[in-house]
Amino acid sequence: MRQYGSNRYDVIVVGVGGMGSATCYYLAQRGKRVLGIERHGIPHTKGSSHGYTRIIRLAYYEDPSYVLLLRRAYELWRDIEARAGEQLLHITGSIDAGPEHEWVFQGSWESCRVHDLPHEVLTGAELRRRYPGYHLPPDHLALLQPDGGFLRPERCIISYVQAAQAEGAEIHACEQVLEWEPTAGGVRVRTDRDVYEAERLVVSAGAWNGELVDCLRDLSVPERQVLAWLQPTHLEHFLPEVFPVFNLLVDEGRFYGFPVFDVPGFKFGKYHHFEEMGGANDLDREARDDDEAMLRQFAERYFPESCGPTMNLFTNTPDHHFLIDTHPTYPQVSFASPCSGHGFKFASVIGEVMADLATTGITRHDVSLFRLERLVGAQRTPAINRPRGQGWRLNAFVRPEEIVPPW
Ligand SMILES: Cc1cc2nc3c(=O)[nH]c(=O)nc-3n(C[C@H](O)[C@H](O)[C@H](O)COP(=O)(O)OP(=O)(O)OC[C@H]3O[C@@H](n4cnc5c(N)ncnc54)[C@H](O)[C@@H]3O)c2cc1C
């Protein structure tokens, strides 16, 4: 039974999570007739955008070229926050720390120098005096950038969806896109409820992008992630006013974490966790004892006052890599797979980029780092790995998973 108006739209957006919700809004704001289709409820806990908090940081060790996009992302987060009338972005400062010559500290420092960002460099000992929750090795260096903080992902999605609806977008939740095909006038999309047509299609289905877009099948690989919340024994050291968000490169790997917020626990996780890849529907969604043991071992060494009983543990599958482009064969189709475990902070500006691509086919933002072409090239060319302990720059022609981490 049809509940909606005509089945013809300017743009259909598949997946109304972090990226899709923002895309729906920026398209509707431009006067486009938009349909956003989401397989689950909005928001939900089966994709990549749940868990109460996501780090946002302006210092970017992955590559200084992200900073321009981030400046715009911050502006757009502030805009949607004003429109929603609630705080979505909390500023705590951000710490990027590790051994002096390693890529996390060096890359973050370089991005500050290139873009003239305010920052301070602290030793592990100085960091602990300023922020007593941190117990880093005294000779590690920490880059403190005052604009870092965290976003509230579920509230961000809700805010974008409500703003999109107010601008006239139709949002269908609990409806699954089964397939799409090109037509003379654009695309036809078949769901488990109906068939729709549009001039343009944006695929922002997160970990499921590979199932919907043929050229992403082998490139967008879901990965299991696990997060822990521990009850601090000294809560006063883990509150947002005294605990900046962090990215740490330590002997055990690369970890990230947050102050206590919403859930009464110190939240943290390890990038790539146990490197368990698989189909988005197949990965184990239950947190296991070995997940908890590994995460707790990290906290005991670097945040010993956080290590009370476990408050919450959950898996947040899946993760995959940045890809933003138009389809090589069907220019009326574009896709956004901006993850690698660090994509949420960009959702606002990626929404704007996707709206650009779906309306004009080009964008004023420099997204060359995220083009499909670089990965196709990388498959044909031997991987060039970052030299250990020297370079840190993310090479646009190397697949992120081909970079040898320095630990
Ligand atoms: C554990 C973890 C921690 C992270 N931490 C950070 C962080 O601190 N900072 C940061 O910036 N980023 C972080 N990230 C990355 C960030 O969360 C992701 O980049 C972002 O959430 C991805 O958003 P998305 O819109 O691509 O995917 P999602 O939000 O998952 O949205 C995709 C949507 O598409 C829907 N969908 C799929 N298939 C269909 C279909 N066939 N029909 C209809 N709908 C469909 C899904 O149900 C889903 O709602 C983290 C990621 C993880 C997993």
Side-chain angles (χ1 to χ4, degrees):
M1 185 183 68
R2 288 265 311 132
Q3 299 171 22
Y4 309 103
S6 143
N7 278 20
R8 177 95 202 158
Y9 298 85
D10 294 327
V11 187
I12 292 176
V13 178
V14 183
V16 187
M19 309 303 144
S21 60
T23 304
C24 287
Y25 170 61
Y26 292 113
L27 284 165
Q29 200 190 34
R30 293 174 195 194
K32 296 295 171 191
R33 186 161 149 68
V34 183
L35 171 63
I37 308 177
E38 168 55 49
R39 172 187 189 169
H40 297 292
I42 299 175
H44 65 90
T45 57
K46 298 183 179 71
S48 304
S49 299
H50 58 287
Y52 313 103
T53 47
R54 285 289 184 277
I55 290 176
I56 182 165
R57 54 194 158 92
L58 203 46
Y60 228 69
Y61 57 84
E62 288 88 341
D63 195 303
S65 64
Y66 281 92
V67 175
L68 295 177
L69 275 183
L70 282 162
R71 285 193 193 282
R72 181 65 178 152
Y74 270 83
E75 269 175 27
L76 293 173
W77 286 122
R78 289 305 187 197
D79 285 352
I80 189 67
E81 196 174 52
R83 178 163 182 150
E86 69 174 282
Q87 190 173 359
L88 302 173
L89 169 56
H90 293 251
I91 299 297
T92 58
S94 60
I95 297 289
D96 296 321
E100 177 178 356
H101 298 292
E102 289 289 7
W103 63 298
V104 169
F105 170 75
Q106 285 295 330
S108 183
W109 198 20
E110 176 71 358
S111 72
C112 288
R113 291 196 303 257
V114 169
H115 292 281
D116 201 19
L117 304 179
H119 66 279
E120 282 181 72
V121 174
L122 305 173
T123 63
E126 288 166 339
L127 185 68
R128 183 169 171 194
R129 276 196 291 278
R130 178 105 49 111
Y131 302 113
Y134 282 81
H135 287 237
L136 297 194
D139 58 337
H140 275 33
L141 289 187
L143 188 296
L144 171 63
Q145 208 288 320
D147 298 295
F150 60 86
L151 292 154
R152 301 169 64 205
E154 292 90 346
R155 298 304 311 167
C156 292
I157 291 171
I158 291 168
S159 299
Y160 269 128
V161 165
Q162 287 178 333
Q165 287 173 315
E167 295 288 341
E170 267 184 40
I171 306 290
H172 296 188
C174 305
E175 178 167 355
Q176 183 178 0
V177 170
L178 301 176
E179 60 184 10
W180 61 268
E181 58 179 341
T183 61
V187 289
R188 183 174 300 117
V189 172
R190 192 167 68 83
T191 73
D192 55 1
R193 286 202 225 155
D194 215 331
V195 177
Y196 309 93
E197 293 197 341
E199 284 172 26
R200 303 288 175 103
L201 178 69
V202 175
V203 183
S204 50
W208 292 268
N209 270 358
E211 292 177 11
L212 290 167
V213 184
D214 54 354
C215 59
L216 299 182
R217 197 149 294 145
D218 299 326
L219 299 176
S220 186
V221 184
E223 184 179 22
R224 178 174 179 269
Q225 306 292 326
V226 183
L227 291 158
W229 281 257
L230 302 184
Q231 300 176 41
T233 50
H234 287 77
L235 177 62
E236 69 277 15
H237 294 166
F238 291 86
L239 297 173
E241 311 79 62
V242 292
F243 193 88
V245 296
F246 68 78
N247 272 250
L248 301 185
L249 181 61
V250 288
D251 294 343
E252 294 83 354
R254 185 163 52 111
F255 290 78
Y256 57 96
F258 303 79
V260 172
F261 183 82
D262 261 3
V263 173
F266 158 59
K267 170 185 167 181
F268 63 100
K270 182 182 181 191
Y271 282 100
H272 303 300
H273 197 67
F274 290 142
E275 299 186 3
E276 294 162 277
M277 312 283 193
N281 298 323
D282 306 330
L283 289 164
D284 184 1
R285 284 179 180 270
E286 295 303 313
R288 305 181 306 245
D289 290 348
D290 59 340
D291 297 322
E292 183 175 358
M294 184 272 280
L295 291 169
R296 187 171 271 284
Q297 201 174 19
F298 162 81
E300 278 165 0
R301 183 164 176 196
Y302 303 104
F303 300 94
E305 289 147 357
S306 75
C307 290
T310 301
M311 178 58 81
N312 198 350
L313 263 179
F314 71 56
T315 57
N316 193 340
T317 48
D319 189 6
H320 54 109
H321 298 288
F322 266 69
L323 274 169
I324 299 173
D325 214 334
T326 47
H327 192 287
T329 314
Y330 309 114
Q332 71 273 42
V333 178
S334 47
F335 48 80
S337 287
C339 194
S340 297
H342 64 119
F344 194 87
K345 63 182 77 58
F346 297 92
S348 56
V349 67
I350 285 171
E352 186 170 74
V353 167
M354 298 316 290
D356 289 345
L357 294 180
T359 48
T360 64
I362 53 169
T363 176
R364 72 186 162 94
H365 296 293
D366 181 4
V367 290
S368 50
L369 193 62
F370 313 133
R371 302 289 304 273
L372 178 64
E373 189 179 78
R374 82 192 195 273
L375 301 187
V376 175
Q379 282 178 320
R380 287 198 297 260
T381 324
I384 309 158
N385 292 320
R386 183 184 337 96
R388 275 172 190 263
Q390 294 176 18
W392 50 267
R393 202 182 147 87
L394 180 68
N395 186 321
F397 297 96
V398 178
R399 298 174 66 170
E401 65 270 32
E402 287 178 332
I403 294 173
V404 172
W407 59 89

